[in-house]
Amino acid sequence: MTEVTEKKTARKGKDAKPVRWTAERKPLLEILQLMAGITVSNPTMPILQNVRIGVSEKMVEFSATDLEISLRYRTGPADWFKVSSPGVLVVPADKLA
């Protein structure tokens, strides 16, 4: 299993915790490769190079766009991921795939 952990949390307050979850490598890479195909390599808006990953106890949602095409992949309870601390991450697609 691959562990994904947010290094710094942007959330504020005494209850703020970094996003933390683990996933099996193969299904995670398949999804991230799909997302990387949607992102733009040299955009006028740098946020378009990123993949948004929303994590809750019951679902993981990946989304990416180039403003013409959008892709969203949601998966419900699955054996291949476990959530320790829910939240949302926005990460560079080229670093993931």
Side-chain angles (χ1 to χ4, degrees):
M1 294 269 245
T2 300
E3 183 172 346
V4 179
T5 303
E6 179 183 29
K7 290 184 180 177
K8 290 184 180 178
T9 181
R11 294 176 277 166
K12 297 181 180 178
K14 62 180 180 179
D15 296 331
K17 295 180 184 177
V19 177
R20 180 172 287 150
W21 54 286
T22 57
E24 288 181 16
R25 190 175 186 86
K26 186 176 179 181
L28 180 62
L29 282 177
E30 289 173 1
I31 295 167
L32 293 175
Q33 287 172 347
L34 286 172
M35 295 294 145
I38 297 297
T39 59
V40 180
S41 59
N42 293 317
T44 55
M45 298 171 60
I47 193 71
L48 298 178
Q49 292 176 309
N50 298 319
V51 174
R52 179 189 179 276
I53 305 171
V55 182
S56 69
E57 280 85 14
K58 297 183 179 183
M59 183 180 70
V60 175
E61 177 182 71
F62 301 85
S63 57
T65 185
D66 68 0
L67 297 181
E68 290 183 23
I69 300 171
S70 295
L71 180 62
R72 180 179 294 159
Y73 184 94
R74 291 182 187 159
T75 182
D79 294 336
W80 64 272
F81 76 87
K82 304 277 186 260
V83 178
S84 300
S85 180
V88 176
L89 297 170
V90 178
V91 293
D94 62 343
K95 302 286 184 202
L96 295 175

